[in-house]
Coordinates of all heavy atoms in Angstrom, one line a residue:
S1 N -8.9 -8.7 -7.0 CA -9.8 -9.6 -6.2 C -9.1 -10.0 -4.9 O -7.8 -9.9 -4.8 CB -10.2 -10.8 -7.0 OG -9.1 -11.7 -7.2
I2 N -9.8 -10.5 -4.0 CA -9.3 -11.0 -2.7 C -8.4 -12.2 -3.0 O -7.3 -12.3 -2.3 CB -10.4 -11.3 -1.7 CG1 -11.0 -9.9 -1.3 CG2 -9.8 -12.0 -0.5 CD1 -12.2 -10.0 -0.5
A3 N -8.7 -13.0 -3.9 CA -7.8 -14.2 -4.2 C -6.5 -13.7 -4.7 O -5.4 -14.3 -4.4 CB -8.5 -15.1 -5.3
Q4 N -6.4 -12.6 -5.5 CA -5.2 -12.1 -6.0 C -4.4 -11.5 -4.8 O -3.1 -11.6 -4.7 CB -5.4 -11.0 -7.0 CG -5.9 -11.5 -8.3 CD -6.3 -10.3 -9.2 OE1 -7.0 -9.4 -8.8 NE2 -5.8 -10.4 -10.5
L5 N -5.0 -10.8 -3.8 CA -4.3 -10.3 -2.7 C -3.7 -11.5 -1.9 O -2.5 -11.3 -1.5 CB -5.3 -9.6 -1.7 CG -6.0 -8.4 -2.3 CD1 -7.0 -7.8 -1.2 CD2 -5.1 -7.3 -2.8
T6 N -4.4 -12.5 -1.7 CA -3.9 -13.7 -0.9 C -2.8 -14.3 -1.6 O -1.7 -14.6 -1.0 CB -5.1 -14.7 -0.7 OG1 -6.2 -14.0 0.0 CG2 -4.6 -15.9 0.1
S7 N -2.9 -14.5 -2.9 CA -1.8 -15.2 -3.6 C -0.5 -14.4 -3.8 O 0.5 -14.9 -4.1 CB -2.3 -15.8 -5.0 OG -2.7 -14.7 -5.8
N8 N -0.7 -13.0 -3.7 CA 0.5 -12.1 -3.9 C 0.9 -11.4 -2.6 O 1.6 -10.4 -2.7 CB 0.1 -11.1 -5.0 CG 0.0 -11.7 -6.3 OD1 1.0 -12.1 -6.9 ND2 -1.2 -11.7 -6.9
L9 N 0.5 -12.0 -1.5 CA 0.7 -11.3 -0.2 C 2.2 -11.0 0.0 O 2.5 -9.9 0.4 CB 0.2 -12.2 0.9 CG 0.4 -11.6 2.4 CD1 -0.3 -10.3 2.5 CD2 -0.2 -12.6 3.4
S10 N 3.1 -11.9 -0.3 CA 4.5 -11.6 0.0 C 5.1 -10.5 -0.8 O 5.9 -9.7 -0.4 CB 5.3 -12.9 -0.2 OG 5.3 -13.3 -1.5
S11 N 4.6 -10.4 -2.1 CA 5.1 -9.3 -2.9 C 4.4 -8.0 -2.8 O 4.9 -6.9 -3.1 CB 5.2 -9.7 -4.4 OG 3.9 -10.1 -4.8
W12 N 3.1 -8.0 -2.3 CA 2.3 -6.8 -2.2 C 2.2 -6.4 -0.8 O 1.5 -5.4 -0.5 CB 0.9 -7.1 -2.7 CG 0.8 -7.3 -4.2 CD1 1.8 -7.2 -5.1 CD2 -0.4 -7.6 -5.0 NE1 1.3 -7.5 -6.4 CE2 0.0 -7.7 -6.3 CE3 -1.7 -7.8 -4.6 CZ2 -0.9 -8.0 -7.3 CZ3 -2.6 -8.1 -5.6 CH2 -2.2 -8.2 -7.0
N13 N 2.9 -7.0 0.2 CA 2.8 -6.6 1.6 C 3.1 -5.1 1.8 O 4.1 -4.7 1.2 CB 3.7 -7.5 2.4 CG 3.5 -7.3 3.9 OD1 2.4 -7.1 4.4 ND2 4.6 -7.4 4.6
C14 N 2.3 -4.4 2.5 CA 2.4 -3.0 2.8 C 2.2 -2.1 1.6 O 2.6 -1.0 1.5 CB 3.8 -2.7 3.4 SG 4.0 -3.5 5.0
S15 N 1.5 -2.7 0.6 CA 1.1 -1.9 -0.6 C -0.3 -1.4 -0.5 O -1.2 -2.0 0.1 CB 1.2 -2.8 -1.9 OG 2.6 -3.2 -2.1
L16 N -0.6 -0.3 -1.2 CA -2.0 0.2 -1.3 C -2.7 -0.6 -2.4 O -2.2 -0.7 -3.5 CB -1.9 1.7 -1.7 CG -3.2 2.4 -1.5 CD1 -3.7 2.4 -0.1 CD2 -3.0 3.9 -2.0
V17 N -3.8 -1.2 -2.1 CA -4.6 -2.1 -3.0 C -6.0 -1.6 -3.0 O -6.5 -0.9 -2.1 CB -4.5 -3.6 -2.6 CG1 -3.0 -4.1 -2.6 CG2 -5.1 -3.8 -1.2
Q18 N -6.8 -2.1 -4.0 CA -8.2 -1.8 -4.1 C -8.9 -3.1 -4.4 O -8.5 -3.9 -5.3 CB -8.5 -0.8 -5.2 CG -10.0 -0.4 -5.3 CD -10.2 0.8 -6.1 OE1 -9.5 1.8 -6.0 NE2 -11.3 0.8 -6.9
V19 N -10.1 -3.3 -3.7 CA -11.0 -4.4 -4.0 C -12.3 -3.8 -4.4 O -12.9 -3.0 -3.7 CB -11.2 -5.3 -2.8 CG1 -12.1 -6.4 -3.1 CG2 -9.8 -5.9 -2.3
N20 N -12.8 -4.2 -5.6 CA -14.1 -3.7 -6.1 C -15.2 -4.7 -5.9 O -15.0 -5.9 -5.8 CB -13.9 -3.4 -7.6 CG -12.9 -2.3 -7.9 OD1 -12.9 -1.3 -7.2 ND2 -12.0 -2.6 -8.8
N21 N -16.4 -4.2 -5.9 CA -17.6 -5.0 -5.7 C -17.5 -5.9 -4.5 O -17.7 -7.2 -4.6 CB -17.9 -5.8 -7.0 CG -18.1 -5.0 -8.2 OD1 -18.8 -4.0 -8.1 ND2 -17.4 -5.3 -9.3
A22 N -17.2 -5.3 -3.4 CA -17.0 -6.1 -2.1 C -18.1 -5.7 -1.1 O -18.8 -4.7 -1.3 CB -15.6 -5.8 -1.6
I23 N -18.2 -6.6 -0.1 CA -19.2 -6.4 0.9 C -18.4 -6.5 2.3 O -17.6 -7.4 2.5 CB -20.3 -7.5 0.9 CG1 -21.1 -7.5 -0.4 CG2 -21.2 -7.4 2.2 CD1 -22.0 -6.3 -0.5
I24 N -18.7 -5.5 3.2 CA -18.1 -5.6 4.5 C -19.2 -6.2 5.4 O -20.3 -5.8 5.4 CB -17.7 -4.2 5.0 CG1 -16.7 -3.5 4.1 CG2 -17.2 -4.2 6.4 CD1 -16.5 -2.1 4.4
S25 N -18.7 -7.1 6.3 CA -19.6 -7.7 7.3 C -18.8 -8.0 8.5 O -17.6 -8.0 8.5 CB -20.3 -9.0 6.7 OG -19.3 -9.9 6.4
G26 N -19.6 -8.3 9.6 CA -18.9 -8.6 10.8 C -19.8 -8.7 12.0 O -21.1 -8.6 11.8
S27 N -19.3 -8.8 13.2 CA -20.1 -8.9 14.4 C -20.7 -7.6 14.9 O -21.5 -7.6 15.7 CB -19.3 -9.6 15.5 OG -18.1 -8.8 15.8
S28 N -20.1 -6.5 14.3 CA -20.7 -5.2 14.6 C -21.0 -4.5 13.3 O -20.7 -5.0 12.3 CB -19.7 -4.4 15.5 OG -18.7 -3.8 14.7
T29 N -21.5 -3.3 13.4 CA -21.8 -2.5 12.2 C -20.9 -1.3 12.0 O -21.1 -0.5 11.2 CB -23.3 -2.0 12.2 OG1 -23.5 -1.3 13.4 CG2 -24.3 -3.2 12.2
T30 N -19.8 -1.3 12.9 CA -18.8 -0.2 12.7 C -17.5 -0.9 12.3 O -17.3 -2.1 12.4 CB -18.6 0.5 14.1 OG1 -18.1 -0.4 15.0 CG2 -19.9 1.1 14.6
Y31 N -16.6 0.0 11.9 CA -15.3 -0.5 11.4 C -14.4 -1.0 12.5 O -13.5 -1.8 12.2 CB -14.5 0.7 10.7 CG -15.2 1.1 9.4 CD1 -15.8 2.3 9.3 CD2 -15.1 0.3 8.3 CE1 -16.4 2.8 8.1 CE2 -15.6 0.8 7.1 CZ -16.3 2.0 7.0 OH -16.8 2.4 5.8
Q32 N -14.6 -0.6 13.7 CA -13.7 -1.0 14.8 C -13.4 -2.5 14.9 O -14.4 -3.3 14.9 CB -14.2 -0.4 16.1 CG -13.2 -0.7 17.3 CD -13.7 0.0 18.6 OE1 -14.4 1.0 18.5 NE2 -13.3 -0.6 19.7
G33 N -12.2 -2.9 15.1 CA -11.8 -4.3 15.3 C -11.7 -5.0 14.0 O -11.4 -4.5 13.0
N34 N -12.0 -6.3 14.1 CA -11.9 -7.2 12.9 C -13.2 -7.4 12.2 O -14.2 -7.8 12.9 CB -11.3 -8.6 13.2 CG -9.9 -8.6 13.6 OD1 -9.1 -7.7 13.2 ND2 -9.5 -9.5 14.5
Q35 N -13.3 -6.9 11.0 CA -14.5 -7.2 10.2 C -14.1 -8.0 9.0 O -12.9 -8.3 8.8 CB -15.1 -5.8 9.7 CG -15.4 -4.8 10.8 CD -16.3 -5.4 11.9 OE1 -17.1 -6.2 11.7 NE2 -16.0 -5.0 13.2
S36 N -15.0 -8.4 8.1 CA -14.6 -9.2 6.9 C -15.0 -8.4 5.7 O -16.0 -7.8 5.6 CB -15.4 -10.5 7.0 OG -15.1 -11.3 5.9
V37 N -14.1 -8.5 4.7 CA -14.4 -8.0 3.3 C -14.5 -9.2 2.4 O -13.5 -10.0 2.4 CB -13.3 -7.0 2.9 CG1 -13.6 -6.5 1.5 CG2 -13.2 -5.8 3.8
S38 N -15.6 -9.3 1.7 CA -15.8 -10.4 0.8 C -16.0 -10.0 -0.6 O -16.7 -8.9 -0.9 CB -17.0 -11.2 1.2 OG -16.9 -11.6 2.6
D39 N -15.5 -10.7 -1.6 CA -15.9 -10.5 -3.0 C -16.1 -11.9 -3.6 O -16.2 -12.9 -2.9 CB -14.8 -9.7 -3.8 CG -13.5 -10.5 -4.1 OD1 -13.4 -11.7 -3.7 OD2 -12.6 -9.9 -4.7
F40 N -16.2 -12.0 -4.9 CA -16.6 -13.3 -5.6 C -15.5 -14.4 -5.4 O -15.8 -15.5 -5.5 CB -16.8 -13.0 -7.1 CG -15.5 -12.7 -7.8 CD1 -14.7 -13.7 -8.4 CD2 -15.0 -11.4 -7.8 CE1 -13.5 -13.3 -9.0 CE2 -13.9 -11.0 -8.5 CZ -13.1 -12.0 -9.0
S41 N -14.3 -14.0 -5.0 CA -13.2 -14.9 -4.9 C -12.9 -15.3 -3.4 O -12.0 -16.2 -3.3 CB -12.0 -14.3 -5.5 OG -11.5 -13.2 -4.8
G42 N -13.4 -14.7 -2.4 CA -13.1 -15.1 -1.1 C -13.3 -13.9 -0.1 O -14.0 -13.0 -0.4
N43 N -12.7 -14.0 1.1 CA -12.8 -12.9 2.1 C -11.4 -12.7 2.7 O -10.6 -13.6 2.7 CB -13.9 -13.2 3.1 CG -13.7 -14.5 3.8 OD1 -12.7 -14.6 4.6 ND2 -14.5 -15.5 3.7
V44 N -11.3 -11.6 3.4 CA -10.1 -11.2 4.1 C -10.5 -10.3 5.3 O -11.6 -9.7 5.3 CB -9.2 -10.4 3.1 CG1 -9.8 -9.1 2.7 CG2 -7.8 -10.2 3.7
V45 N -9.7 -10.3 6.3 CA -9.9 -9.5 7.5 C -9.7 -8.0 7.2 O -8.7 -7.7 6.6 CB -9.1 -10.0 8.7 CG1 -9.1 -9.0 9.8 CG2 -9.5 -11.4 9.1
L46 N -10.6 -7.2 7.6 CA -10.4 -5.7 7.6 C -10.2 -5.3 9.1 O -11.1 -5.5 9.9 CB -11.6 -5.0 7.0 CG -11.7 -3.5 7.2 CD1 -10.5 -2.9 6.4 CD2 -13.0 -3.0 6.7
Y47 N -9.0 -4.8 9.4 CA -8.7 -4.4 10.8 C -8.7 -2.9 10.9 O -8.0 -2.2 10.2 CB -7.4 -5.0 11.3 CG -7.1 -4.5 12.7 CD1 -7.7 -4.9 13.8 CD2 -6.1 -3.5 12.9 CE1 -7.5 -4.4 15.1 CE2 -5.8 -3.0 14.1 CZ -6.5 -3.4 15.2 OH -6.3 -2.9 16.5
T48 N -9.4 -2.4 12.0 CA -9.4 -1.0 12.3 C -9.2 -0.8 13.8 O -10.0 -1.4 14.6 CB -10.7 -0.3 11.9 OG1 -11.0 -0.5 10.5 CG2 -10.7 1.2 12.2
A49 N -8.1 -0.1 14.1 CA -7.8 0.1 15.5 C -8.9 1.0 16.2 O -9.5 1.9 15.5 CB -6.5 0.8 15.7
A50 N -9.1 0.8 17.5 CA -10.1 1.6 18.2 C -9.8 3.1 18.2 O -10.7 3.9 18.3 CB -10.3 1.1 19.6
S51 N -8.5 3.4 18.1 CA -8.1 4.8 18.1 C -8.3 5.5 16.8 O -8.1 6.7 16.7 CB -6.6 4.8 18.5 OG -5.8 4.1 17.6
A52 N -8.6 4.8 15.7 CA -8.8 5.4 14.4 C -10.0 6.4 14.5 O -11.0 6.1 15.1 CB -9.1 4.4 13.3
S53 N -9.9 7.5 13.9 CA -10.9 8.6 13.9 C -12.3 8.1 13.4 O -13.3 8.6 13.8 CB -10.5 9.8 13.2 OG -10.3 9.5 11.8
F54 N -12.3 7.1 12.5 CA -13.5 6.6 11.9 C -14.0 5.2 12.5 O -14.9 4.6 12.0 CB -13.3 6.4 10.4 CG -12.2 5.5 10.0 CD1 -12.5 4.2 9.8 CD2 -10.9 6.0 9.9 CE1 -11.4 3.3 9.4 CE2 -9.9 5.2 9.6 CZ -10.1 3.8 9.3
A55 N -13.3 4.7 13.5 CA -13.5 3.4 14.1 C -15.0 3.2 14.4 O -15.5 2.1 14.2 CB -12.6 3.1 15.3
N56 N -15.6 4.2 15.0 CA -17.0 4.0 15.4 C -18.1 4.4 14.4 O -19.3 4.4 14.7 CB -17.3 4.7 16.7 CG -16.5 4.1 17.9 OD1 -16.5 2.9 18.0 ND2 -15.8 4.9 18.7
S57 N -17.6 4.6 13.2 CA -18.5 4.9 12.1 C -19.1 3.6 11.5 O -18.4 2.6 11.5 CB -17.8 5.7 10.9 OG -17.3 6.9 11.4
A58 N -20.4 3.7 11.1 CA -21.0 2.5 10.5 C -20.5 2.3 9.1 O -20.4 3.3 8.4 CB -22.5 2.7 10.5
Y59 N -20.2 1.1 8.8 CA -19.8 0.8 7.4 C -21.1 0.5 6.5 O -22.1 0.1 7.1 CB -18.8 -0.4 7.3 CG -19.3 -1.7 8.0 CD1 -20.2 -2.5 7.4 CD2 -18.8 -2.1 9.2 CE1 -20.6 -3.7 7.9 CE2 -19.1 -3.3 9.8 CZ -20.1 -4.1 9.1 OH -20.5 -5.3 9.7
P60 N -21.0 0.8 5.2 CA -22.1 0.5 4.3 C -22.4 -1.0 4.2 O -21.6 -1.8 4.3 CB -21.7 1.1 3.0 CG -20.2 1.3 3.1 CD -19.8 1.3 4.5
L61 N -23.7 -1.2 4.1 CA -24.2 -2.6 4.0 C -24.4 -3.0 2.5 O -24.9 -4.1 2.3 CB -25.5 -2.8 4.8 CG -25.3 -2.5 6.3 CD1 -26.7 -2.6 7.0 CD2 -24.3 -3.4 7.0
T62 N -24.0 -2.2 1.6 CA -24.2 -2.4 0.2 C -22.8 -2.7 -0.4 O -21.7 -2.5 0.2 CB -24.8 -1.2 -0.5 OG1 -23.9 -0.1 -0.3 CG2 -26.2 -0.9 0.0
S63 N -22.8 -3.1 -1.7 CA -21.5 -3.3 -2.4 C -20.7 -2.1 -2.5 O -21.2 -1.0 -2.8 CB -21.8 -3.8 -3.8 OG -20.6 -4.1 -4.5
I64 N -19.4 -2.2 -2.2 CA -18.5 -1.1 -2.1 C -17.2 -1.4 -2.9 O -16.9 -2.6 -3.2 CB -18.1 -0.7 -0.7 CG1 -17.6 -1.9 0.2 CG2 -19.3 -0.1 0.0 CD1 -16.2 -2.0 0.3
S65 N -16.4 -0.4 -3.1 CA -14.9 -0.6 -3.4 C -14.2 -0.1 -2.2 O -14.6 0.9 -1.6 CB -14.6 0.3 -4.6 OG -15.2 -0.3 -5.8
I66 N -13.1 -0.7 -1.9 CA -12.3 -0.4 -0.8 C -10.8 -0.2 -1.2 O -10.3 -1.1 -1.8 CB -12.4 -1.3 0.4 CG1 -11.6 -0.9 1.6 CG2 -12.1 -2.8 0.0 CD1 -11.9 -1.6 2.9
T67 N -10.2 0.9 -0.8 CA -8.8 1.1 -1.0 C -8.1 1.0 0.4 O -8.6 1.7 1.3 CB -8.5 2.5 -1.6 OG1 -9.3 2.6 -2.9 CG2 -7.1 2.7 -1.9
S68 N -7.1 0.2 0.5 CA -6.5 0.0 1.8 C -5.1 -0.5 1.7 O -4.7 -0.9 0.6 CB -7.4 -0.9 2.7 OG -7.5 -2.2 2.1
V69 N -4.4 -0.6 2.8 CA -3.1 -1.1 2.8 C -3.2 -2.6 3.1 O -3.8 -3.0 4.1 CB -2.2 -0.4 3.9 CG1 -0.8 -1.0 4.0 CG2 -2.1 1.1 3.6
L70 N -2.6 -3.4 2.3 CA -2.5 -4.9 2.5 C -1.3 -5.2 3.4 O -0.2 -4.8 3.1 CB -2.4 -5.6 1.2 CG -2.2 -7.1 1.2 CD1 -3.4 -7.8 1.8 CD2 -1.8 -7.7 -0.1
V71 N -1.5 -5.9 4.5 CA -0.5 -6.3 5.4 C -0.5 -7.7 5.7 O -1.6 -8.4 5.6 CB -0.5 -5.4 6.7 CG1 -0.2 -4.0 6.5 CG2 -1.7 -5.7 7.5
S72 N 0.6 -8.3 6.1 CA 0.6 -9.7 6.5 C 0.6 -9.7 8.0 O 1.5 -9.1 8.7 CB 1.9 -10.3 6.0 OG 2.0 -11.7 6.5
Y73 N -0.4 -10.3 8.6 CA -0.5 -10.3 10.1 C -0.5 -11.8 10.4 O -1.4 -12.6 10.1 CB -1.8 -9.7 10.5 CG -2.0 -9.7 12.0 CD1 -1.3 -8.8 12.8 CD2 -2.8 -10.6 12.7 CE1 -1.4 -8.8 14.2 CE2 -2.9 -10.6 14.0 CZ -2.2 -9.7 14.8 OH -2.3 -9.7 16.2
S74 N 0.6 -12.2 11.1 CA 0.8 -13.6 11.4 C 0.7 -14.5 10.2 O 0.2 -15.6 10.3 CB -0.1 -14.1 12.5 OG 0.1 -13.3 13.7
G75 N 1.2 -14.0 9.1 CA 1.2 -14.8 7.8 C -0.1 -14.8 7.1 O -0.2 -15.4 6.0
S76 N -1.1 -14.1 7.6 CA -2.4 -14.0 6.9 C -2.6 -12.6 6.4 O -2.2 -11.6 7.0 CB -3.5 -14.4 7.8 OG -3.4 -15.7 8.3
P77 N -3.3 -12.5 5.2 CA -3.6 -11.1 4.7 C -4.6 -10.4 5.5 O -5.5 -10.9 6.1 CB -4.1 -11.4 3.3 CG -4.7 -12.8 3.4 CD -3.9 -13.5 4.4
Q78 N -4.4 -9.1 5.6 CA -5.3 -8.2 6.4 C -5.3 -6.8 5.7 O -4.2 -6.4 5.2 CB -4.7 -8.1 7.8 CG -5.7 -7.3 8.7 CD -5.1 -7.3 10.1 OE1 -4.3 -6.4 10.5 NE2 -5.5 -8.2 11.0
L79 N -6.4 -6.2 5.6 CA -6.6 -4.9 5.1 C -6.7 -3.9 6.2 O -7.3 -4.2 7.2 CB -7.8 -4.8 4.2 CG -7.9 -5.7 3.0 CD1 -9.2 -5.5 2.2 CD2 -6.7 -5.4 2.0
Q80 N -6.0 -2.7 6.0 CA -6.1 -1.7 7.0 C -6.4 -0.4 6.2 O -5.5 0.1 5.4 CB -4.8 -1.6 7.8 CG -4.5 -2.8 8.6 CD -3.3 -2.7 9.4 OE1 -2.5 -1.7 9.4 NE2 -3.0 -3.8 10.2
M81 N -7.5 0.2 6.5 CA -7.9 1.5 5.9 C -7.1 2.6 6.4 O -6.7 2.6 7.6 CB -9.4 1.7 6.2 CG -10.3 0.7 5.5 SD -12.0 0.9 6.1 CE -12.4 2.6 5.9
R82 N -6.9 3.7 5.6 CA -6.2 4.9 6.1 C -7.2 5.9 6.7 O -6.9 6.6 7.6 CB -5.5 5.5 4.9 CG -4.5 4.6 4.2 CD -4.0 5.1 2.9 NE -5.2 5.2 2.0 CZ -5.2 5.8 0.8 NH1 -4.2 6.5 0.4 NH2 -6.3 5.8 0.1
N83 N -8.4 5.9 6.1 CA -9.4 6.8 6.6 C -10.8 6.4 6.1 O -10.8 5.5 5.2 CB -9.1 8.3 6.3 CG -9.0 8.5 4.8 OD1 -9.9 8.2 4.0 ND2 -7.8 9.0 4.4
A84 N -11.9 7.0 6.5 CA -13.2 6.6 6.0 C -13.4 6.8 4.5 O -14.3 6.1 4.0 CB -14.3 7.4 6.8
N85 N -12.7 7.6 3.9 CA -12.8 7.8 2.5 C -12.3 6.7 1.6 O -12.4 6.6 0.4 CB -12.1 9.1 2.0 CG -12.8 10.3 2.6 OD1 -14.0 10.4 2.8 ND2 -12.0 11.4 2.9
D86 N -11.6 5.7 2.3 CA -11.1 4.5 1.6 C -12.2 3.6 1.1 O -12.0 2.7 0.3 CB -10.1 3.8 2.5 CG -8.8 4.4 2.5 OD1 -8.5 5.3 1.6 OD2 -7.9 4.0 3.3
V87 N -13.4 3.8 1.7 CA -14.6 3.0 1.2 C -15.4 3.9 0.3 O -15.8 5.0 0.7 CB -15.4 2.5 2.4 CG1 -16.8 2.0 2.0 CG2 -14.7 1.5 3.2
H88 N -15.6 3.5 -0.9 CA -16.4 4.3 -1.9 C -17.2 3.4 -2.8 O -17.1 2.2 -2.8 CB -15.4 5.2 -2.6 CG -14.1 4.5 -3.1 ND1 -13.9 3.9 -4.3 CD2 -13.0 4.3 -2.4 CE1 -12.7 3.4 -4.3 NE2 -12.1 3.6 -3.2

């Protein structure tokens, strides 16, 4: 869960993690920039660089599972996808 990611950030930093039954939302409908991933326990930033090959792809508006790298950005948890197949 996102709560687990947040509470274990220091020990899981730079680890591959998965969040199930999550929703992606944000100010745009594509992955580029900062979006939000939410589950029953909270939310976390999903960051995708503009240079990523999938940055301009639309993210699903339904419940998903996401596999991504958990990183600490200025002390806050952030998810970074490796490719578009990380959302399933």
